Amino acid sequence: MENLKKLKKFFFKNILYFIFGSYLTYMLGFYFFNLQLGYIMGGDSSRYIDGANNILNWKLPDGKGTSYLGYIIYIAIFKYFKLDLTYVVLSQILLTFTSSICLYKITKKITSQSISIFVLSLYLFYFPLQMWNFYILTETIFICLIIFIIYFFVFFKKRNVLILTLLIVFYISIRPHGIILIPSLSLALLILLYLNNKLRILYLTIILLIILFFPILSLLNLYLENENIVNSIANLGIIWGYEDKNNYLDYKIPAIINNDFLSLLLFIKNNILIFMIGFFKKIWFFNFRIRPYYSDFHNFYIIAFNLVYWPAAIIGLLKVQNKNNLGIILMYCMFIFFNLAIGLSWADWDGRFSLYILPIIFIFAGIGFHNIRGLKDKFF
């Protein structure tokens, strides 16, 4: 019995070193032996690189480039110091490593050490998530930033307010999906105030949000205009880029479209039944990540991982104990608003969009496993 305790102590003392060491070996091994250039270019990479060159020549991005200003500036920093794009990849691996520590600490606070080790391993060794480290694309930084933001809210300290503010601004500026943080954080704050019975501050916050409604609406309309949202919903189908008749729905498109929030609401009202069918199909593909055009092996791989974390994540979503924490409430709100955003737009071709909240789902899965283990200990 004493030897078993010593073995358990040794395991928990050294397992993190083993996991982190394996991850860095895995990432750097892939980097040095599989990448000829040291990085991989994606479809939007040229937009970020050209935007970075423009910034170094004192020209701000225009059009859709403004929605990715944060990542463009990030690339520009490396170019300013004459660093090759391979350093961007290395920095993204380092950011993922750092975010994994934050993810581990968040999960450990909510569940237990053993469960947090499981969630950490799931995050670091789920290849569809980690492969984006090697691309000159926004995905890695966008995913890492939301983990950092949730971490600083879960372990909130007043001295970190400036860091949190910078992270939030950076997150919003990385890509268009960043705007989802604004309604998510607003709702999370209102819920926290209500749970703490701070009604006076709650009412003042509601008044402030009403005052800020039009500036926020203007920002939202700018995003909707850049995305040409109504035509995109009608013409891009359930899954963007999938050319199949079953992928498209027969919407009624108005003759005049302003591509603002009001136009979107009117479009939904005039197509409510068809829209709801498409809405739930998009959410299905968004969360479960399978695609009709993937190979059987690819879909089986995704389904296998889905079966590992999704049943537990559903339990975790329903069984979170410490809900009186802004970081935990924010996780709920981000999950809800991301699903709403996808339902109102489209599921993407390669399942990247779902990766943006996958660490949150992993945390909920950890909570679910923690509750399952609690039931096991109680009854057995």
Side-chain angles (χ1 to χ4, degrees):
M1 193 63 160
E2 188 65 28
N3 289 334
L4 186 63
K5 287 182 178 179
K6 288 181 180 179
L7 183 63
K8 187 176 181 180
K9 184 179 179 181
F10 176 82
F11 174 80
F12 282 115
K13 185 178 180 180
N14 295 280
I15 187 63
L16 290 179
Y17 296 114
F18 175 76
I19 291 172
F20 289 135
S22 299
Y23 171 74
L24 291 176
T25 302
Y26 167 56
M27 284 289 107
L28 295 177
F30 188 93
Y31 173 81
F32 284 112
F33 296 108
N34 291 282
L35 298 181
Q36 294 180 346
L37 293 174
Y39 56 88
I40 303 173
M41 297 287 283
D44 294 328
S45 298
S46 59
R47 174 191 293 157
Y48 311 137
I49 296 169
D50 293 341
N53 290 329
N54 287 335
I55 282 181
L56 294 178
N57 290 312
W58 302 98
K59 296 177 183 177
L60 287 175
D62 54 9
K64 291 191 74 171
T66 58
S67 300
Y68 303 89
L69 181 61
Y71 193 69
I72 289 171
I73 292 173
Y74 184 77
I75 298 295
I77 292 171
F78 289 89
K79 285 189 161 290
Y80 177 80
F81 289 103
K82 311 295 184 185
L83 295 173
D84 188 79
L85 291 175
T86 54
Y87 287 93
V88 175
V89 170
L90 292 174
S91 72
Q92 290 178 167
I93 294 173
L94 180 61
L95 281 171
T96 300
F97 175 79
T98 308
S99 69
S100 71
I101 297 173
C102 294
L103 187 74
Y104 169 78
K105 290 184 176 181
I106 293 166
T107 312
K108 186 179 178 182
K109 178 179 174 65
I110 303 171
T111 60
S112 65
Q113 185 177 16
S114 58
I115 297 295
S116 60
I117 288 171
F118 168 76
V119 171
L120 173 69
S121 302
L122 200 56
Y123 175 65
L124 288 179
F125 297 103
Y126 186 51
F127 188 72
L129 188 67
Q130 296 300 327
M131 62 182 280
W132 298 105
N133 286 325
F134 304 106
Y135 284 81
I136 307 301
L137 293 171
T138 60
E139 272 62 37
T140 292
I141 292 184
F142 196 68
I143 293 165
C144 292
L145 281 173
I146 194 56
I147 296 174
F148 294 146
I149 290 168
I150 291 170
Y151 173 84
F152 279 110
F153 275 123
V154 169
F155 299 96
F156 182 78
K157 293 178 182 177
K158 290 183 179 179
R159 67 170 182 263
N160 293 328
V161 169
L162 179 59
I163 296 174
L164 252 175
T165 303
L166 293 174
L167 287 172
I168 289 168
V169 172
F170 192 27
Y171 181 82
I172 293 170
S173 68
I174 288 288
R175 58 175 300 112
H177 293 86
I179 198 173
I180 294 173
L181 182 59
I182 296 176
S184 299
L185 188 53
S186 301
L187 180 60
L189 183 59
L190 291 175
I191 293 171
L192 182 68
L193 292 172
Y194 176 77
L195 292 175
N196 285 297
N197 203 31
K198 295 183 178 180
L199 299 182
R200 184 177 297 179
I201 302 175
L202 174 63
Y203 298 146
L204 288 173
T205 305
I206 292 173
I207 292 170
L208 178 62
L209 290 174
I210 292 171
I211 294 171
L212 293 174
F213 175 76
F214 287 105
I216 292 172
L217 183 62
S218 298
L219 184 63
L220 179 60
N221 284 336
L222 179 64
Y223 165 70
L224 294 176
E225 184 179 356
N226 284 338
E227 295 297 327
N228 198 6
I229 191 69
V230 173
N231 278 321
S232 295
I233 294 172
N235 299 322
L236 294 182
I238 295 166
I239 302 173
W240 183 89
Y242 178 41
E243 297 297 334
D244 185 274
K245 64 179 182 179
N246 295 321
N247 189 50
Y248 298 94
L249 299 171
D250 189 19
Y251 291 105
K252 297 176 183 177
I253 306 175
I256 300 175
I257 304 172
N258 295 324
N259 277 310
D260 56 9
F261 188 63
L262 180 60
S263 298
L264 177 61
L265 292 179
L266 291 172
F267 171 77
I268 293 171
K269 181 182 78 69
N270 294 332
N271 296 275
I272 187 66
L273 292 177
I274 296 174
F275 180 83
M276 292 307 296
I277 293 170
F279 183 88
F280 287 110
K281 283 185 176 181
K282 292 168 191 175
I283 287 177
W284 167 268
F285 285 116
F286 170 67
N287 283 299
F288 300 112
R289 309 195 67 248
I290 56 176
R291 296 292 186 269
Y293 42 82
Y294 282 175
S295 67
D296 289 341
F297 175 80
H298 194 170
N299 276 324
F300 284 143
Y301 177 87
I302 292 170
I303 290 169
F305 269 90
N306 285 344
L307 291 173
V308 169
Y309 64 83
W310 258 115
I314 292 170
I315 296 171
L317 280 162
L318 300 173
K319 292 287 187 179
V320 172
Q321 299 297 322
N322 186 15
K323 294 180 182 178
N324 199 17
N325 181 294
L326 187 57
I328 294 172
I329 299 171
L330 180 60
M331 289 195 298
Y332 275 99
C333 294
M334 290 293 288
F335 177 78
I336 291 168
F337 277 105
F338 257 98
N339 275 277
L340 284 173
I342 297 303
L344 290 169
S345 54
W346 55 87
D348 61 314
W349 172 266
D350 51 12
R352 280 188 287 171
F353 292 175
S354 60
L355 299 177
Y356 304 155
I357 59 166
L358 200 56
I360 293 173
I361 296 170
F362 287 166
I363 293 172
F364 282 123
I367 296 168
F369 281 118
H370 185 67
N371 280 277
I372 292 169
R373 191 171 69 176
L375 287 172
K376 180 183 175 184
D377 294 340
K378 184 178 180 179
F379 293 104
F380 301 99

